[in-house]
Amino acid sequence: MSDYLVRPARAADVQGIYALLEPLVERRILLGKDIAVLYGAVQEFVVAEADGRLIGCGALHVMWEDLGEVRTLLVEEGWKHHGVGRAIVERLEEHAVGLGLSRLFCLTFEVPFFQRRGFEPIGEQVVDPDVYTQLLRSGDEGVAEFLDLAHVKPNTLGNTRMLKHLV
């Protein structure tokens, strides 16, 4: 396999991100995102590229002053186990540190992958009650999943909530 590059996503990458995401949405591994939502969040994404085509992506969503979420992390099947996912997460972590975040959250089926990256399974109370109250006002479904709200529980069945403390 050839080398790959992990870089910030550009608007021109959104169609490729959508194409990577759709097979996993169809298999109910990831939640679908409208293309307009992906364009609106393009600045949160990094992509992995090989030979001019996208082979993976991931996003960092800031949730609070000290807390971010790794979202929409995926790697094309043929590129799994080649360090692409690790490189994407490392890039997102660097960005999180640059933003002043000290914790990263993820909701995942890939528990061993994230454990190797220092994430640990968590319970429900990750933020203090005042922050929880503020986050309840968010219309973002990812924040609702983080808060473990009842209306998103069908979306999160089988997933593990994980957290990493950044250095």
Side-chain angles (χ1 to χ4, degrees):
M1 297 206 136
S2 63
D3 291 331
Y4 59 89
L5 167 73
V6 176
R7 61 169 174 77
R10 300 184 282 259
D13 296 320
V14 169
Q15 294 289 341
I17 292 169
Y18 186 79
L20 285 170
L21 181 60
E22 277 309 291
L24 297 174
V25 171
E26 289 172 9
R27 290 173 36 209
R28 301 171 93 52
I29 293 171
L30 290 176
L31 290 177
K33 291 189 179 2
D34 292 328
I35 199 121
V37 171
L38 291 174
Y39 276 111
V42 72
Q43 70 281 357
E44 297 182 356
F45 278 86
V46 297
V47 295
E49 179 181 49
D51 299 323
R53 68 183 182 82
L54 297 187
I55 59 167
C57 66
L60 171 66
H61 181 77
V62 176
M63 298 176 80
W64 200 252
E65 175 183 22
D66 64 336
L67 179 66
E69 179 184 7
V70 174
R71 291 182 173 182
T72 320
L73 177 66
L74 54 112
V75 175
E76 192 176 79
E77 196 63 40
W79 280 90
K80 289 185 176 178
H81 309 292
H82 288 80
V84 177
R86 176 184 38 82
I88 291 170
V89 171
E90 286 173 357
R91 186 70 173 264
L92 295 173
E93 287 180 7
E94 289 170 13
H95 188 51
V97 169
L99 290 171
L101 303 179
S102 60
R103 301 181 299 162
L104 281 180
F105 166 79
C106 70
L107 183 66
T108 185
F109 291 112
E110 302 295 335
V111 173
F113 171 84
F114 280 99
Q115 283 179 318
R116 287 190 301 273
R117 265 125 224 101
F119 286 77
E120 297 178 1
I122 57 169
E124 294 181 14
Q125 267 312 357
V126 181
V127 295
D128 67 47
D130 291 336
V131 173
Y132 183 91
T133 300
Q134 293 296 320
L135 287 173
L136 280 174
R137 297 177 181 164
S138 172
D140 185 286
E141 286 297 300
V143 172
E145 291 170 345
F146 169 74
L147 297 175
D148 205 23
L149 301 180
H151 77 275
V152 295
K153 288 219 186 260
N155 300 342
T156 63
L157 289 175
N159 280 286
T160 299
R161 297 158 45 83
M162 302 185 82
L163 191 71
K164 179 177 183 174
H165 293 274
L166 301 171
V167 181

